[in-house]
Amino acid sequence: MKNKIYIIVILSVLFSCSDFLEENPNSFLAPQAIRSEADVNNFFSGVMGRFASGNYYSLHYYYLTEGTTDMLTIRTSDEERTDLDRYTWKTDNSRIERVWRECWTIVANANNLLEGIENAEGLTDEFKNNFKSATRFARAYVYFDLVRLFDGVPIIESPVKGADEILGATRNSRSEVLNFVREELEAIEDSYTNDWNQDHVFDGYPTKWGAKATLTAVYLTLSGNEYNENRWQDAADKAKEIINEGPFQLVDYSELFLVNNKNNQECIFSIQSHRNRFATASRPGGSRMGNQRGDGGLPIAREEIMDLWEDTDLRKASTFLTEIENILADGTSGGIVTYDIWTPNNFPFVAKWTSSGKAPMDFFSDARRDRTNFIVYRLGDILLMHAEAENETNGPGLAETSLNRVRTRASLPPLNGLGQSDFREAVRNERTLELSYEMKRRHDLIRWGILTETIRNNDPAAGENVQEHHKYYPIPQNDFDLLLDFEGQEGYEQERTNEEE
C-alpha cells in the first residue's frame, strides 16, 4: 500500500493536474487554466515562490550545500542532519529527498506554465516572450542545481502526459544535463525586452543579467574537474560583460545582507524570501538564551574557520554573529549576550542570513525568522568568477583588477605580481572569505576537484568518512524504488526495497 500511495504522490508532482488527477481542466496548475496576463503573473509567482520554500533555499538546500562543507558543523539530535555533517547519510535521508522533490515540482510547474503561455490567446508576443524566457530561466536554474547535487537526471521539457513517461524515465548524463542548461541560458539571455530588464533588474525577477550570471557559473563548472570542457574564455567574457555593461556596483559589505537593503545594487539575482527559515537554524534557540545551539543545528564550524579572516578584514563582522539582545519573557531587554568564546555552549553563529537590520539584533522578533533574501548572484561573486576564468585563460594580468576590487572593499591590500598557480590559490581563498555561507562552497570544492581532500583534512566531524562518490547525493530511495529503468547513484550500492504487491 505504501508504494501505491507514493506512486500517486510522485506522479501528481510531475503531471499536469487535469491529466493525471482528472480534476476540472481549469485547475490552477493545469496549462489550460492560463488565459490572461493575470493568470501568467500568478502562476509565475508560484513557480518562483517555491525557490524560497523550506524544502529548497529557505532551509534544506542549505544543509546540502553548506552543512556538508568544512565551514559548518551541525549540532543537533536529529540523526539525518548529523549524518550530512559526518558524511554518513543514507539513501532514504528525508533532507535530501525534500530538495530533490522540490526541484522536480518547480520543473513540472515551469513546463505547465510554458505550455499554457504558448497556447493562451489574447496575450501579446512581447508579453509571452518575456515570461517564457523567465520561466525557462527558472527551469534551467533548477536543472543546474539538480546536476550539481545528483549528477545526471532526466531532462523533461514538457508536461508529462502519461505514467510511462515517469516510471520509465532514464538518466541523461551529467554532460547532457549541464549542456542543456547552457543551451537554454544562451537562448534566453538576450531575449528579454529592454523594458523588462529595466523594470525587474532589482526586484528578484529573472532578467538577462541573471541568465548571464548563471551562464558564467555554468561555463566555470564545465571547465572544472567533473567536465574538463575548457570554457574558461567563455566564462571570462561573460563575467566581463556583466561587469562592464551591467548596472551593478559593490556596496558596503556591512549593508549587503540587511533586510532594509534587500535587492540592493550589488544583487544580480536573488530569491525573494518573506520567512527565511534558515534564520532560525543559525541563531541561538529556545525561549531564553540558555539554549545556545542553533534551532536547526547550524552554527559555524570551528575556531579555526573564524581565524581564516584577518581582524582587519571588514567582512568578518558581517559574517559572524557575536552579539544578540536577550529579550525577556515580558518583552523587556535582558542585556546583550555575547557569543565570542569557544566552549560547547558559547560560539559565534552565521550572521549573513539573520540580520534584522538592527545592531545588536533582536532575534526573537518574527518568530526568530527573518525576511532576508537569498542572494544567488552578486557583483562580488562575478568579479571573482572573472578573476578565476581570466587567470586560467591568460594568466593573472587582467584578472588582478577584478580580484583587487573585492579585496579593496574588504580593506585588504591588493595582490599583484603573483604567478598563475599562486593567483589561482589566492582566488580560491578569496571566494572562501567573500562568499562564505552563501551556498557556493560545496559546488566550488567539487569543480576544483578537492572536496574529498578538503573535508578529510579540515572537517573532523566527517574525517575519513568522506569518499569520492559523496560529491553527489543518492537518488532518494522512495523514487528509486519506483523508477525501474533508473540507474542508481555510483558508489551507493543502491538496491530497490519495494515489495511486489
Side-chain angles (χ1 to χ4, degrees), residues 183-203:
E183 290 167 0
E184 285 287 281
L185 295 171
E186 289 174 342
I188 67 171
E189 61 171 323
D190 292 317
S191 65
Y192 300 98
T193 62
N194 289 333
D195 286 345
W196 175 281
N197 287 315
Q198 292 172 5
D199 291 345
H200 297 299
V201 64
F202 292 118
D203 70 357

Side-chain angles (χ1 to χ4, degrees), residues 6-26:
Y6 204 80
I7 288 174
I8 294 175
V9 173
I10 184 175
L11 293 178
S12 63
V13 167
L14 290 168
F15 282 4
S16 62
C17 286
S18 62
D19 289 319
F20 178 67
L21 299 181
E22 298 182 354
E23 293 180 350
N24 185 318
N26 292 328

Side-chain angles (χ1 to χ4, degrees), residues 34 40 44 47 110-120 123-140 184 187-189 191-192 196 206:
I34 298 173
V40 174
F44 183 73
V47 170
N111 286 338
N112 288 337
L113 178 55
L114 286 169
E115 183 174 290
I117 295 173
E118 185 66 29
N119 296 331
L123 304 179
T124 67
D125 289 342
E126 179 179 301
F127 181 88
K128 283 187 173 184
N129 173 75
N130 284 329
F131 273 96
K132 284 170 64 177
S133 295
T135 304
R136 288 174 70 183
F137 169 83
R139 183 180 64 184
E184 285 287 281
I188 67 171
E189 61 171 323
S191 65
Y192 300 98
W196 175 281

Side-chain angles (χ1 to χ4, degrees), residues 380-388 403 406 427 430-431 434:
D381 188 4
I382 298 300
L383 286 165
L384 293 177
M385 288 191 203
H386 176 260
E388 180 178 354
L403 173 64
V406 174
V427 171
E430 207 63 41
R431 285 188 67 83
E434 174 74 16

Side-chain angles (χ1 to χ4, degrees), residues 193-407:
T193 62
N194 289 333
D195 286 345
W196 175 281
N197 287 315
Q198 292 172 5
D199 291 345
H200 297 299
V201 64
F202 292 118
D203 70 357
Y205 264 46
T207 65
K208 70 175 183 179
W209 302 113
K212 292 177 187 295
T214 309
L215 194 51
T216 306
V218 168
Y219 288 143
L220 284 181
T221 305
L222 285 169
S223 303
N225 186 69
E226 293 296 286
Y227 300 87
N228 296 304
E229 291 193 17
N230 191 5
R231 304 300 292 260
W232 293 115
Q233 187 65 61
D234 291 327
D237 291 344
K238 193 58 61 179
K240 197 65 175 176
E241 181 181 352
I242 299 169
I243 295 167
N244 288 344
E245 300 177 19
F248 310 103
Q249 61 185 31
L250 296 177
V251 304
D252 189 314
Y253 203 85
S254 66
E255 299 178 353
L256 183 54
F257 301 96
L258 298 183
V259 170
N260 58 14
N261 200 30
K262 293 198 294 188
N263 298 318
N264 58 67
Q265 289 187 299
E266 184 164 343
C267 300
I268 299 172
F269 174 62
S270 299
I271 293 169
Q272 306 299 292
S273 177
H274 300 290
R275 297 283 284 178
N276 178 346
R277 289 184 60 192
F278 180 71
T280 341
S282 57
R283 298 180 183 184
S287 60
R288 299 294 295 274
M289 301 300 288
N291 180 2
Q292 295 178 318
R293 67 169 177 81
D295 281 9
L298 282 180
I300 68 167
R302 301 175 312 284
E303 187 172 4
E304 299 92 298
I305 295 300
M306 194 169 179
D307 287 343
L308 294 176
W309 282 257
E310 298 179 29
D311 289 338
T312 55
D313 190 329
L314 297 182
R315 296 170 295 196
K316 190 171 187 177
S318 298
T319 301
F320 301 102
L321 179 60
T322 58
E323 288 189 350
I324 297 178
E325 184 176 9
N326 181 14
I327 304 299
L328 303 178
D330 61 4
T332 62
S333 175
I336 303 301
V337 179
T338 59
Y339 294 88
D340 58 358
I341 60 176
W342 294 90
T343 66
N345 289 318
N346 190 301
F347 38 78
F349 291 82
V350 178
K352 283 185 174 180
W353 308 117
T354 60
S355 175
S356 64
K358 302 174 184 177
M361 184 189 308
D362 168 13
F363 77 94
F364 280 109
S365 62
D366 204 11
R368 294 195 302 278
R369 297 183 181 182
D370 265 315
R371 301 176 185 273
T372 48
N373 288 340
F374 300 93
I375 304 173
V376 180
Y377 295 114
R378 56 184 179 85
L379 183 57
D381 188 4
I382 298 300
L383 286 165
L384 293 177
M385 288 191 203
H386 176 260
E388 180 178 354
E390 179 66 29
N391 178 60
E392 296 299 334
T393 303
N394 302 307
L398 296 176
E400 289 180 347
T401 300
S402 294
L403 173 64
N404 287 330
R405 282 185 65 183
V406 174
R407 290 180 58 83

